[in-house]
Amino acid sequence: MSNGWFAGLDPDDDAAAVKRIAAGQADTPDDWPQQAVDAGFADDEADYYHRLHDVTMAATSAAVAEQEGADDQQLVHAVRAMADCERTANELSERVAEWGGSRYGDSGSGVEYARSVTDRDDEDEGDIALRSLAEQTVELANEADSLRAYIERTAPAVAPNLSMLAGPVLAARLISLAGGLEALAKKPSGTVQVLGAEDALFAHLKGNAPSPKHGVIFTHEYVRGTRREDRGSAARALAGKLSIAARIDHYSGDRRPDLQADLDERIERIQARAEEGDSE
Amino acid sequence: MTLPTGVERHDFGGETSLATQGQPVYGERTDGDWRRWDPHRSKLGAMLEQGMETGLEGGETVLYLGAAAGTTVSHVADFGGPTYAVEFAPRPVRELLDAAESRQNLFPLLKDARKPGSYAHVVEPVDVIVQDVATRGQARVAALNKRFLGDDGRLLAAIKARSEDVTADPADVFDSVREELSAEYELLETARLDPYHEDHLGIVARPRED
Ligand SMILES: C[S@@+](CC[C@H](N)C(=O)[O-])C[C@H]1O[C@@H](n2cnc3c(N)ncnc32)[C@H](O)[C@@H]1O
């Protein structure tokens, strides 16, 4: 006798259901919708199919992510490596700019300047040394770009809702700052709001600074694009939705397009205050 | 031959084609909320276009083997009932998930069609199996999945000759697939799917009682 995927499961335990879909077995199929209703797992057939859709979507996207080797820890490594490459490329660019300025007198900065140095064809030994450094710098910047592309490809499988709301790169940053998707899912939204602002938070706790209104979520257009007076509210609203998204991603893996509509509406309301000309 | 309910012929920029109602999936043309079912991209579409007696009426419970990115199975879910989509390659399944997002009756499963025990705890007995796995051992896949079909069930399979043997004459490959399949199924109709799909054989079959 074979059992359906739902046998003995708590209907609210999405994570267990996802595991069953992935790892369960049966020799022969059976009238699972009827059995699920009889067992009280689903209210009726429609309810059963609704649950089945949610849980097969979640299980299959998790299985895809797993088979492609993309889990939250891979994402954490990738986003940290991307940040290292970006920071190092920027630092080296400054070095190239300083050195280049001393030789060619032209001023410039950043990776773009390093790129322009790689195109020069001066033959002096010093030119060659500088050009080689510039090439390495550009290579690092390119590496950062390909890591970014990897993150953009894999974050939506690891954390679909969080990636939808935050964009894949910010989603990966938040997961990285928390130390993993599970850790992020367990943080209160007030903590999510200031993730990445640990220095400012520490200064505040020591009593010599105001409490930070936002951490890395400042890079989100909904925070940055809101006028200064309302940024705290926007950051709070965004962090709230991101926390919910992270929890759904971790515990069930369901896709919830309605979260985006909710967030859009909240932010619209906050930004509308500016037009009405009154705050609060 | 009559088309299943939910499948109609519509005009797409001067060309009449099969169509179903649902969210577009692969950049196909649309006419209002009808979307073109391109027989060149779908073997089941080609079987219907060839006038094969699939027995499909609309609303069937379906097990689809080899769903890939969801091109065909999305149309099946548009006119069918509960539709279980099995595919074992992770890459196309990303797109299959997108197609299933707007289709509450489409259940994507990352599973190997040669291991029916790994999804029989999820898939219920179905009215129809659609098979398009394009891999060696296509008759065996059909035999292994026979357990999902009731006595009146139908197997609608597309057999790709080159998947069995690249060098052999397709006609010989089809003969041996037909013969192997006949152990478990009674073949009701077979037809080549040219010009839509070269060296493919469409098969309508029903399970033999055992
Ligand atoms: C020709 S494509 C299917 C196209 C699809 N039926 C459509 O029309 O949209 C064949 C698919 O079968 C899949 N496949 C091959 N062997 C399989 C197996 N044992 N289990 C599940 N899927 C398999 C392949 O990965 C491939 O995506």
Side-chain angles (χ1 to χ4, degrees), chain B residues 43 64 66 68 71-72 87-89 111-114 132-133 135:
Chain B
K43 279 134 233 165
Y64 194 107
T71 304
T72 300
E87 167 59 54
F88 77 166
K111 303 282 184 184
D112 186 338
R114 290 165 302 192
D132 181 16
V133 289
T135 182

Side-chain angles (χ1 to χ4, degrees), chain A residues 3-5 20-22 24-33 48-50 52-53 56-57 60-61 63-64 67-68 157 255, chain B residues 82 84 88 90-91 93-94 97-98 100-101 103-111 116-118 120-125 147-148:
Chain A
N3 278 327
W5 60 275
R20 280 284 183 79
I21 298 282
Q25 289 274 341
D27 286 339
T28 48
D30 212 325
D31 189 349
W32 305 130
Y48 172 77
Y49 284 128
H50 183 75
L52 182 64
H53 186 258
T56 53
M57 292 290 289
T60 300
S61 77
V64 166
Q67 289 201 16
E68 293 199 329
R255 286 152 184 251
Chain B
Y84 298 87
F88 77 166
R91 208 175 34 81
V93 168
R94 287 193 185 286
L97 285 165
D98 291 339
E101 190 85 62
R103 294 180 170 81
Q104 284 294 322
N105 62 328
L106 181 53
F107 311 115
L109 295 166
L110 185 69
K111 303 282 184 184
S118 69
H121 66 308
V122 181
V123 179
E124 64 192 290
R147 68 187 75 181
F148 292 98

Side-chain angles (χ1 to χ4, degrees), chain A residues 83-95:
Chain A
D84 290 344
C85 288
E86 277 175 350
R87 182 171 26 76
T88 312
N90 285 334
E91 263 170 36
L92 287 177
S93 296
E94 291 314 302
R95 176 67 58 223

Side-chain angles (χ1 to χ4, degrees), chain A residues 11 157 184 260:
Chain A
L184 182 63
Q260 182 74 60

